[in-house]
Amino acid sequence: MNRHLSWLAGLCMVVVTGCAAGRETPASPPMGRITATHAHPTPTSHAARDILLAQQFDLGGGGGGPFGCRDDLSLITHNRPADHPLLWVTSSREPLAGQSDEVRVVLGESSVLCLYGFPDDKPVTVTVKAGGRTYTTPVKPVAELSSDQGGDLFNGRPIETQNLGGGVLQSGYMQFLPPDPAREAIARAGRLELTARSGDSRSTSEVPLRWEKKGAATDAEWEHSHRIAVYGYPAGAHVPIGLYRVQRDQGGGEHAVLERRVGDVIMPAFRVAVFTVPEELFRLVGGEHAEDPAYHCLAVPGLIDCVT
């Protein structure tokens, strides 16, 4: 009798322990300021499951709250004047509980380059080292930002900046989606490392990379590469790509309806995968459609916008 009770108790312990382990989920990575360093994401035990495409969705909506260099500067310096130049990149984002004071860059999100304490009448260069390459970008102070400045941290074209007063220079909005091999290197490192120089003025910083947004965007030189980058999903996840037909309504809204699944990617450990759009599909989604009442586009689960 005692032996049976002892065996039954041991069995219960195994079952309870196993159940607890099955419910366990990985802790969220720590969040830090612009000097923080974080390890790259690793696969989870639940990552191999399929993610389902939405049958239909309305385009637009969502998005992060207001953001800008001046707000970040007050957080970085705790409202005290900095005694040395500063440099960082900041992204649009939804405030996170307990982490509203963090400066961070979000892959695929609208972002701006920020400079503090650098002259606006002398040449400034910004350098990023990633993936075994060095990317150097000139900063071009202007009285008013152009509508399409075209520069980013990786294509070598000048980035326009506007003087906001108080020593703050801010660029126009640009999507943060580095090309490979820089993209993989930054994603694995979990941070963006950059340096700005102007004469004797110099600043180096590390901005944490965050995965607050899951989605897809056209890769560099999309017209030639026909590639889209899919990012932010758990490592190991099978992420489908769907072809949607978008219809514009009379009020200016747009509604997307799934036509078919056209492919999928498996997310690597660094959580950025690339999908090459077949030629016949590219011709369908890559054309101009500004005046069309209906058009086709590509989308992934959770995205409320289209890739065209």
Side-chain angles (χ1 to χ4, degrees):
M1 178 69 175
N2 290 337
R3 286 199 305 272
H4 289 302
L5 289 175
S6 175
W7 175 85
L8 182 59
L11 177 61
C12 290
M13 288 295 292
V14 171
V15 171
V16 171
T17 303
C19 292
R23 290 194 301 268
E24 187 176 344
T25 57
S28 298
M31 308 292 266
R33 298 184 185 278
I34 64 172
T35 55
T37 300
H38 302 282
H40 61 79
T42 56
T44 71
S45 59
H46 303 290
R49 66 181 183 274
D50 257 343
I51 302 175
L52 299 179
L53 287 164
Q55 293 299 308
Q56 54 188 325
F57 61 91
D58 291 326
L59 274 68
F67 73 105
C69 299
R70 257 205 273 236
D71 293 335
D72 282 347
L73 180 63
S74 65
L75 298 173
I76 294 169
T77 63
H78 302 284
N79 288 311
R80 295 189 299 269
D83 58 0
H84 55 84
L86 296 172
L87 160 74
W88 69 98
V89 174
T90 187
S91 296
S92 167
R93 71 271 187 183
E94 293 290 352
L96 301 179
Q99 297 158 354
S100 60
D101 63 344
E102 187 200 31
V103 174
R104 57 192 182 273
V105 62
V106 182
L107 199 71
E109 190 58 274
S110 178
S111 307
V112 293
L113 172 69
C114 304
L115 297 154
Y116 170 79
F118 286 90
D120 64 356
D121 58 350
K122 295 180 181 179
V124 180
T125 58
V126 175
T127 301
V128 177
K129 292 185 179 180
R133 297 185 183 183
T134 299
Y135 303 84
T136 301
T137 303
V139 174
K140 180 182 178 182
V142 294
E144 185 175 348
L145 298 173
S146 62
S147 58
D148 181 20
Q149 59 165 321
D152 64 31
L153 292 169
F154 303 92
N155 64 11
R157 297 173 61 183
I159 294 181
E160 294 181 355
T161 58
Q162 193 171 25
N163 192 333
L164 302 184
V168 179
L169 300 176
Q170 177 174 307
S171 75
Y173 297 111
M174 51 191 175
Q175 184 185 41
F176 184 73
L177 190 65
D180 276 330
R183 181 169 58 220
E184 178 176 343
I186 292 169
R188 287 187 179 278
R191 63 186 182 273
L192 171 68
E193 302 180 32
L194 60 167
T195 301
R197 293 182 177 86
S198 178
D200 295 332
S201 300
R202 183 178 186 273
S203 179
T204 299
S205 66
E206 296 183 357
V207 185
L209 178 68
R210 289 290 170 257
W211 302 99
E212 295 157 28
K213 183 176 180 180
K214 300 178 179 67
T218 54
D219 211 344
E221 300 190 9
W222 148 257
E223 294 82 1
H224 304 291
S225 70
H226 298 184
R227 303 196 316 169
I228 62 175
V230 181
Y231 49 83
Y233 297 90
H238 294 249
V239 183
I241 294 96
L243 175 69
Y244 289 80
R245 183 170 179 81
V246 180
Q247 182 70 45
R248 292 188 175 98
D249 59 39
Q250 293 182 347
E254 295 182 313
H255 186 72
V257 178
L258 178 66
E259 287 198 348
R260 68 180 187 271
R261 177 172 173 162
V262 296
D264 68 288
V265 294
I266 300 176
M267 298 303 292
F270 57 93
R271 299 174 66 182
V272 184
V274 172
F275 176 74
T276 301
V277 179
E279 180 63 35
E280 64 277 10
L281 190 59
F282 175 78
R283 289 198 297 268
L284 184 62
V285 302
E288 294 292 333
H289 54 260
E291 303 302 325
D292 295 342
Y295 61 93
H296 285 89
C297 69
L298 301 175
V300 292
L303 191 65
I304 56 174
D305 206 345
C306 266
V307 178
T308 58

Coordinates of all heavy atoms in Angstrom, one line a residue, residues 141-217:
P141 N 22.7 69.8 -43.6 CA 21.8 70.7 -42.9 C 21.1 71.6 -44.0 O 21.7 72.1 -44.9 CB 22.7 71.6 -42.1 CG 24.0 70.8 -41.9 CD 24.1 70.1 -43.2
V142 N 19.7 71.7 -43.8 CA 18.9 72.5 -44.7 C 18.0 73.3 -43.9 O 17.6 73.0 -42.8 CB 18.2 71.6 -45.7 CG1 19.1 70.9 -46.7 CG2 17.3 70.6 -45.0
A143 N 17.5 74.4 -44.5 CA 16.5 75.3 -43.8 C 15.2 74.6 -43.8 O 14.4 74.8 -42.8 CB 16.4 76.6 -44.6
E144 N 14.9 73.8 -44.8 CA 13.6 73.1 -44.9 C 13.8 71.7 -45.6 O 14.4 71.7 -46.6 CB 12.5 73.9 -45.6 CG 11.1 73.3 -45.6 CD 10.1 74.2 -46.2 OE1 10.4 75.4 -46.5 OE2 9.0 73.7 -46.5
L145 N 13.3 70.7 -45.0 CA 13.5 69.3 -45.5 C 12.7 69.2 -46.8 O 11.6 69.7 -46.9 CB 13.0 68.3 -44.5 CG 13.7 68.2 -43.2 CD1 13.0 67.2 -42.3 CD2 15.2 67.8 -43.4
S146 N 13.3 68.5 -47.8 CA 12.6 68.3 -49.1 C 11.6 67.2 -48.9 O 11.6 66.4 -47.9 CB 13.6 67.9 -50.2 OG 14.3 66.7 -49.8
S147 N 10.7 67.1 -49.8 CA 9.6 66.1 -49.7 C 10.1 64.7 -49.9 O 9.5 63.7 -49.3 CB 8.5 66.4 -50.7 OG 9.0 66.4 -52.0
D148 N 11.2 64.5 -50.6 CA 11.7 63.2 -50.8 C 13.2 63.3 -50.8 O 13.9 63.4 -51.9 CB 11.2 62.6 -52.2 CG 11.7 61.2 -52.4 OD1 12.2 60.5 -51.5 OD2 11.7 60.8 -53.6
Q149 N 13.8 63.2 -49.6 CA 15.3 63.4 -49.6 C 16.0 62.2 -50.1 O 17.1 62.3 -50.6 CB 15.7 63.7 -48.1 CG 15.3 62.7 -47.1 CD 16.0 62.8 -45.8 OE1 17.2 63.2 -45.8 NE2 15.3 62.6 -44.7
G150 N 15.5 61.0 -49.9 CA 16.1 59.8 -50.5 C 17.3 59.2 -49.8 O 17.7 58.2 -50.2
G151 N 17.8 59.9 -48.8 CA 19.0 59.4 -48.1 C 18.6 58.5 -46.9 O 17.6 58.7 -46.3
D152 N 19.5 57.6 -46.6 CA 19.4 56.8 -45.4 C 20.8 56.5 -44.9 O 21.8 57.0 -45.5 CB 18.5 55.6 -45.6 CG 19.1 54.5 -46.5 OD1 20.3 54.5 -46.7 OD2 18.3 53.8 -47.2
L153 N 20.9 55.7 -43.9 CA 22.3 55.4 -43.3 C 23.1 54.4 -44.2 O 24.2 54.2 -43.8 CB 22.1 54.9 -41.9 CG 21.5 55.9 -40.9 CD1 21.2 55.1 -39.6 CD2 22.5 57.0 -40.6
F154 N 22.5 53.9 -45.2 CA 23.2 52.8 -45.9 C 23.4 53.0 -47.4 O 24.1 52.2 -48.1 CB 22.5 51.5 -45.7 CG 22.3 51.1 -44.2 CD1 21.2 51.5 -43.5 CD2 23.4 50.5 -43.5 CE1 21.1 51.3 -42.1 CE2 23.2 50.2 -42.2 CZ 22.1 50.6 -41.5
N155 N 22.8 54.0 -48.0 CA 22.9 54.1 -49.5 C 23.9 55.2 -49.9 O 24.1 55.4 -51.1 CB 21.5 54.4 -50.1 CG 20.9 55.7 -49.7 OD1 21.5 56.5 -49.1 ND2 19.6 55.9 -50.0
G156 N 24.5 55.9 -48.9 CA 25.6 56.9 -49.3 C 25.1 58.2 -49.7 O 25.9 59.1 -49.8
R157 N 23.8 58.3 -49.9 CA 23.2 59.6 -50.3 C 23.1 60.5 -49.1 O 22.8 60.1 -48.0 CB 21.9 59.4 -51.0 CG 22.0 58.6 -52.3 CD 20.6 58.3 -52.8 NE 19.8 59.5 -53.1 CZ 18.6 59.5 -53.6 NH1 17.9 58.3 -53.7 NH2 17.9 60.6 -53.9
P158 N 23.2 61.9 -49.2 CA 23.2 62.8 -48.1 C 21.8 62.7 -47.4 O 20.8 62.5 -48.0 CB 23.4 64.1 -48.7 CG 24.1 63.9 -50.0 CD 23.6 62.6 -50.5
I159 N 21.9 62.8 -46.0 CA 20.7 62.8 -45.2 C 20.5 64.3 -44.8 O 21.3 64.9 -44.2 CB 20.9 61.9 -44.0 CG1 20.9 60.5 -44.3 CG2 19.7 62.2 -43.0 CD1 21.1 59.5 -43.1
E160 N 19.4 64.8 -45.2 CA 19.0 66.2 -44.8 C 18.7 66.3 -43.4 O 18.0 65.4 -42.8 CB 17.9 66.7 -45.7 CG 18.2 66.8 -47.1 CD 17.0 67.4 -47.9 OE1 15.9 67.6 -47.3 OE2 17.1 67.6 -49.1
T161 N 19.1 67.3 -42.7 CA 18.7 67.6 -41.3 C 18.3 69.0 -41.1 O 18.8 69.9 -41.8 CB 19.9 67.3 -40.3 OG1 21.0 68.1 -40.7 CG2 20.3 65.8 -40.3
Q162 N 17.4 69.2 -40.2 CA 16.8 70.5 -40.0 C 17.2 70.9 -38.5 O 17.1 70.1 -37.6 CB 15.3 70.5 -40.1 CG 14.7 71.9 -40.2 CD 13.2 71.8 -40.6 OE1 12.6 70.7 -40.4 NE2 12.7 72.8 -41.2
N163 N 17.6 72.2 -38.3 CA 17.9 72.7 -37.0 C 16.6 73.0 -36.2 O 15.8 73.8 -36.6 CB 18.7 73.9 -37.2 CG 19.4 74.4 -35.8 OD1 18.9 74.1 -34.8 ND2 20.5 75.0 -35.9
L164 N 16.4 72.2 -35.1 CA 15.3 72.4 -34.3 C 15.5 73.4 -33.2 O 14.6 73.7 -32.4 CB 14.8 71.0 -33.7 CG 14.5 69.9 -34.7 CD1 14.0 68.7 -33.9 CD2 13.5 70.3 -35.7
G165 N 16.7 74.0 -33.1 CA 17.0 74.9 -32.0 C 17.6 74.1 -30.8 O 17.4 72.9 -30.7
G166 N 18.3 74.8 -30.0 CA 18.9 74.2 -28.8 C 20.0 73.2 -29.2 O 20.3 72.3 -28.3
G167 N 20.6 73.3 -30.4 CA 21.7 72.4 -30.7 C 21.2 71.1 -31.3 O 22.0 70.2 -31.5
V168 N 19.9 70.9 -31.6 CA 19.3 69.6 -32.1 C 19.2 69.7 -33.6 O 18.5 70.6 -34.1 CB 18.0 69.3 -31.4 CG1 17.4 68.0 -31.9 CG2 18.2 69.2 -29.9
L169 N 19.7 68.7 -34.3 CA 19.5 68.5 -35.7 C 18.7 67.2 -35.9 O 19.0 66.2 -35.3 CB 20.8 68.4 -36.5 CG 21.8 69.6 -36.4 CD1 23.1 69.2 -37.1 CD2 21.1 70.8 -37.0
Q170 N 17.6 67.3 -36.7 CA 16.8 66.1 -37.0 C 16.6 65.9 -38.4 O 16.4 66.8 -39.2 CB 15.4 66.3 -36.3 CG 14.5 65.1 -36.5 CD 13.2 65.2 -35.8 OE1 13.2 65.4 -34.5 NE2 12.1 65.1 -36.4
S171 N 16.7 64.6 -38.9 CA 16.5 64.3 -40.3 C 15.1 64.2 -40.6 O 14.2 64.2 -39.7 CB 17.2 63.0 -40.6 OG 16.5 61.9 -40.1
G172 N 14.8 64.0 -41.9 CA 13.4 63.6 -42.3 C 13.1 62.2 -41.9 O 14.0 61.4 -41.5
Y173 N 11.9 61.7 -42.1 CA 11.5 60.4 -41.8 C 12.0 59.4 -42.8 O 12.0 59.6 -44.0 CB 10.0 60.2 -41.7 CG 9.4 61.1 -40.6 CD1 8.7 62.2 -40.8 CD2 9.7 60.8 -39.2 CE1 8.1 63.0 -39.8 CE2 9.2 61.6 -38.2 CZ 8.4 62.7 -38.5 OH 7.9 63.4 -37.5
M174 N 12.6 58.3 -42.4 CA 13.1 57.2 -43.3 C 12.7 55.9 -42.7 O 12.7 55.7 -41.4 CB 14.6 57.4 -43.5 CG 15.4 57.5 -42.2 SD 17.1 58.0 -42.5 CE 17.7 58.2 -40.8
Q175 N 12.5 54.9 -43.5 CA 12.2 53.6 -43.0 C 13.5 52.9 -42.6 O 14.4 52.9 -43.4 CB 11.4 52.7 -44.0 CG 11.0 51.3 -43.5 CD 10.4 50.5 -44.6 OE1 10.9 50.5 -45.8 NE2 9.4 49.8 -44.3
F176 N 13.5 52.3 -41.4 CA 14.8 51.6 -41.0 C 14.7 50.2 -41.4 O 14.2 49.3 -40.8 CB 15.0 51.7 -39.5 CG 16.3 51.1 -39.0 CD1 17.5 51.8 -39.3 CD2 16.3 49.9 -38.4 CE1 18.7 51.3 -38.9 CE2 17.5 49.4 -38.0 CZ 18.7 50.0 -38.2
L177 N 15.3 49.9 -42.6 CA 15.4 48.6 -43.1 C 16.7 48.4 -43.8 O 16.8 48.6 -45.1 CB 14.2 48.2 -44.0 CG 14.1 46.8 -44.5 CD1 13.8 45.9 -43.3 CD2 13.0 46.6 -45.5
P178 N 17.8 48.2 -43.1 CA 19.2 48.1 -43.7 C 19.2 47.0 -44.8 O 18.5 46.0 -44.7 CB 20.1 47.8 -42.6 CG 19.3 48.2 -41.3 CD 17.9 47.9 -41.7
P179 N 20.1 47.1 -45.8 CA 20.3 46.1 -46.7 C 21.2 45.0 -46.1 O 21.9 45.2 -45.1 CB 21.0 46.8 -47.9 CG 21.8 47.9 -47.2 CD 20.9 48.3 -46.1
D180 N 21.2 43.8 -46.7 CA 22.2 42.8 -46.3 C 23.5 43.1 -46.9 O 23.6 43.7 -48.0 CB 21.7 41.4 -46.8 CG 20.8 40.8 -45.8 OD1 20.9 41.1 -44.6 OD2 19.9 40.0 -46.3
P181 N 24.7 42.8 -46.2 CA 24.7 42.0 -45.0 C 24.6 42.8 -43.7 O 24.6 42.2 -42.6 CB 26.1 41.4 -45.0 CG 26.9 42.5 -45.7 CD 26.0 43.1 -46.8
A182 N 24.4 44.1 -43.8 CA 24.2 44.9 -42.6 C 23.0 44.5 -41.8 O 23.0 44.5 -40.5 CB 24.2 46.4 -42.9
R183 N 21.9 44.2 -42.5 CA 20.7 43.9 -41.8 C 20.8 42.7 -40.9 O 20.4 42.7 -39.7 CB 19.5 43.7 -42.8 CG 18.2 43.4 -42.2 CD 17.1 43.4 -43.2 NE 17.3 42.5 -44.3 CZ 17.1 42.7 -45.6 NH1 16.6 43.9 -45.9 NH2 17.3 41.8 -46.5
E184 N 21.4 41.6 -41.4 CA 21.6 40.4 -40.6 C 22.5 40.7 -39.4 O 22.3 40.3 -38.3 CB 22.1 39.3 -41.4 CG 22.4 38.0 -40.6 CD 22.8 36.8 -41.4 OE1 22.7 36.9 -42.7 OE2 23.4 35.9 -40.8
A185 N 23.6 41.5 -39.6 CA 24.6 41.7 -38.6 C 23.9 42.6 -37.5 O 24.1 42.3 -36.3 CB 25.8 42.5 -39.2
I186 N 23.1 43.6 -37.8 CA 22.5 44.4 -36.8 C 21.4 43.6 -36.1 O 21.3 43.7 -34.8 CB 21.9 45.6 -37.5 CG1 23.0 46.6 -38.0 CG2 21.0 46.4 -36.5 CD1 22.5 47.7 -38.9
A187 N 20.7 42.8 -36.8 CA 19.6 42.0 -36.1 C 20.2 41.0 -35.2 O 19.7 40.7 -34.1 CB 18.8 41.2 -37.2
R188 N 21.3 40.3 -35.6 CA 22.0 39.4 -34.7 C 22.6 40.1 -33.4 O 22.5 39.6 -32.3 CB 23.1 38.6 -35.4 CG 22.6 37.6 -36.4 CD 23.8 36.8 -37.0 NE 23.3 35.8 -37.9 CZ 22.9 34.6 -37.6 NH1 22.8 34.3 -36.3 NH2 22.5 33.7 -38.5
A189 N 23.2 41.3 -33.6 CA 23.7 42.0 -32.5 C 22.7 42.6 -31.6 O 22.9 42.8 -30.4 CB 24.7 43.1 -33.0
G190 N 21.5 42.9 -32.2 CA 20.4 43.5 -31.4 C 20.6 45.0 -31.1 O 20.0 45.5 -30.2
R191 N 21.5 45.6 -31.9 CA 21.7 47.0 -31.7 C 22.3 47.7 -33.0 O 22.8 47.0 -33.9 CB 22.7 47.2 -30.6 CG 24.1 46.6 -30.8 CD 25.0 46.7 -29.6 NE 26.3 46.2 -29.8 CZ 26.6 44.9 -29.7 NH1 25.7 44.0 -29.3 NH2 27.9 44.5 -29.9
L192 N 22.2 49.0 -33.1 CA 22.7 49.7 -34.2 C 23.9 50.6 -33.6 O 23.7 51.3 -32.7 CB 21.7 50.7 -34.8 CG 22.1 51.7 -35.8 CD1 22.6 51.0 -37.1 CD2 21.0 52.7 -36.1
E193 N 25.1 50.4 -34.2 CA 26.3 51.1 -33.7 C 26.6 52.1 -34.8 O 26.8 51.8 -35.9 CB 27.4 50.2 -33.5 CG 27.1 49.1 -32.5 CD 28.3 48.1 -32.3 OE1 29.5 48.6 -32.4 OE2 28.1 46.9 -32.0
L194 N 26.7 53.4 -34.4 CA 27.0 54.4 -35.3 C 27.9 55.5 -34.7 O 27.9 55.7 -33.5 CB 25.8 55.0 -35.9 CG 24.7 55.7 -35.0 CD1 23.7 56.5 -35.9 CD2 23.9 54.7 -34.2
T195 N 28.6 56.3 -35.6 CA 29.5 57.3 -35.2 C 29.3 58.5 -36.1 O 29.1 58.4 -37.3 CB 31.0 56.9 -35.3 OG1 31.2 55.7 -34.5 CG2 31.9 58.0 -34.9
A196 N 29.3 59.7 -35.5 CA 29.3 61.0 -36.2 C 30.5 61.8 -35.9 O 31.0 61.8 -34.8 CB 28.0 61.8 -35.8
R197 N 31.0 62.5 -37.0 CA 32.2 63.3 -36.9 C 32.0 64.6 -37.6 O 31.4 64.6 -38.7 CB 33.4 62.6 -37.4 CG 33.9 61.3 -36.7 CD 35.1 60.8 -37.3 NE 35.6 59.6 -36.6 CZ 35.2 58.4 -36.8 NH1 34.3 58.1 -37.7 NH2 35.7 57.4 -36.1
S198 N 32.5 65.7 -37.0 CA 32.6 67.0 -37.7 C 33.7 67.7 -37.0 O 33.6 68.2 -35.9 CB 31.3 67.7 -37.5 OG 31.4 69.0 -38.1
G199 N 34.9 67.8 -37.8 CA 36.0 68.5 -37.2 C 36.5 67.7 -36.0 O 36.7 66.5 -36.0
D200 N 36.6 68.5 -34.9 CA 37.0 67.9 -33.6 C 35.8 67.3 -32.8 O 36.0 66.7 -31.8 CB 37.7 68.9 -32.7 CG 39.0 69.4 -33.3 OD1 39.6 68.6 -34.0 OD2 39.4 70.6 -33.0
S201 N 34.6 67.4 -33.3 CA 33.4 66.9 -32.6 C 33.2 65.5 -33.1 O 33.2 65.2 -34.3 CB 32.2 67.8 -32.9 OG 32.4 69.1 -32.5
R202 N 33.0 64.6 -32.1 CA 32.8 63.2 -32.4 C 31.8 62.6 -31.4 O 31.9 62.9 -30.2 CB 34.1 62.4 -32.4 CG 34.0 61.0 -32.8 CD 35.4 60.4 -32.7 NE 35.5 59.0 -33.2 CZ 35.3 57.9 -32.5 NH1 35.0 58.1 -31.2 NH2 35.3 56.7 -33.0
S203 N 31.0 61.7 -31.8 CA 30.1 60.9 -30.9 C 29.8 59.5 -31.5 O 29.7 59.3 -32.7 CB 28.7 61.7 -30.8 OG 27.8 61.0 -29.9
T204 N 29.8 58.6 -30.5 CA 29.6 57.2 -30.9 C 28.5 56.6 -30.0 O 28.4 57.0 -28.8 CB 30.8 56.3 -30.7 OG1 31.8 56.7 -31.6 CG2 30.5 54.8 -31.0
S205 N 27.5 55.9 -30.5 CA 26.4 55.4 -29.7 C 26.0 54.0 -30.2 O 26.3 53.6 -31.3 CB 25.2 56.3 -29.7 OG 24.6 56.4 -31.0
E206 N 25.3 53.3 -29.3 CA 24.7 52.0 -29.6 C 23.2 52.1 -29.2 O 22.9 52.3 -28.1 CB 25.3 50.8 -28.8 CG 26.8 50.6 -29.1 CD 27.4 49.4 -28.3 OE1 26.6 48.9 -27.5 OE2 28.5 49.1 -28.6
V207 N 22.4 52.0 -30.2 CA 20.9 52.1 -30.0 C 20.3 50.7 -30.1 O 20.5 50.0 -31.1 CB 20.3 53.0 -31.1 CG1 18.8 53.2 -30.8 CG2 21.0 54.3 -31.2
P208 N 19.6 50.3 -29.0 CA 19.0 48.9 -29.0 C 18.0 48.8 -30.2 O 17.2 49.7 -30.5 CB 18.3 48.9 -27.7 CG 18.9 49.9 -26.8 CD 19.3 51.0 -27.8
L209 N 18.0 47.6 -30.8 CA 17.1 47.2 -31.8 C 15.9 46.5 -31.2 O 16.1 45.6 -30.3 CB 17.7 46.3 -32.9 CG 16.8 45.8 -34.0 CD1 16.4 46.9 -34.9 CD2 17.6 44.7 -34.8
R210 N 14.7 46.9 -31.6 CA 13.5 46.3 -31.0 C 12.6 45.6 -32.0 O 12.7 45.9 -33.2 CB 12.7 47.3 -30.2 CG 13.4 47.8 -29.0 CD 13.4 46.7 -27.9 NE 14.2 47.0 -26.8 CZ 15.4 46.5 -26.6 NH1 15.9 45.7 -27.5 NH2 16.1 46.8 -25.5
W211 N 11.8 44.6 -31.6 CA 11.0 43.8 -32.4 C 9.5 44.1 -32.1 O 8.7 43.2 -32.0 CB 11.3 42.4 -32.3 CG 12.7 42.0 -32.5 CD1 13.7 41.9 -31.6 CD2 13.3 41.9 -33.8 NE1 14.9 41.6 -32.2 CE2 14.7 41.6 -33.6 CE3 12.8 41.9 -35.1 CZ2 15.6 41.4 -34.6 CZ3 13.7 41.7 -36.1 CH2 15.1 41.4 -35.9
E212 N 9.1 45.4 -32.0 CA 7.7 45.7 -31.7 C 6.8 45.6 -32.9 O 5.6 45.6 -32.7 CB 7.7 47.2 -31.2 CG 8.4 47.4 -29.9 CD 8.9 48.8 -29.7 OE1 8.2 49.7 -30.2 OE2 9.9 49.0 -29.0
K213 N 7.4 45.5 -34.1 CA 6.5 45.4 -35.3 C 6.9 44.2 -36.1 O 8.0 43.9 -36.3 CB 6.8 46.7 -36.1 CG 5.9 46.8 -37.4 CD 6.2 48.1 -38.1 CE 5.3 48.2 -39.4 NZ 5.5 49.4 -40.1
K214 N 5.8 43.4 -36.5 CA 6.0 42.3 -37.4 C 5.4 42.8 -38.7 O 4.4 43.4 -38.8 CB 5.2 41.1 -36.9 CG 5.6 40.6 -35.5 CD 4.7 39.4 -35.1 CE 5.1 38.9 -33.7 NZ 4.8 39.9 -32.6
G215 N 6.1 42.4 -39.8 CA 5.6 42.9 -41.1 C 6.6 42.5 -42.2 O 7.4 41.7 -42.1
A216 N 6.4 43.3 -43.3 CA 7.2 43.0 -44.5 C 7.3 44.4 -45.2 O 6.5 45.2 -45.1 CB 6.5 42.0 -45.4
A217 N 8.4 44.5 -46.0 CA 8.7 45.7 -46.7 C 9.5 45.4 -47.9 O 10.3 44.4 -47.9 CB 9.3 46.8 -45.9

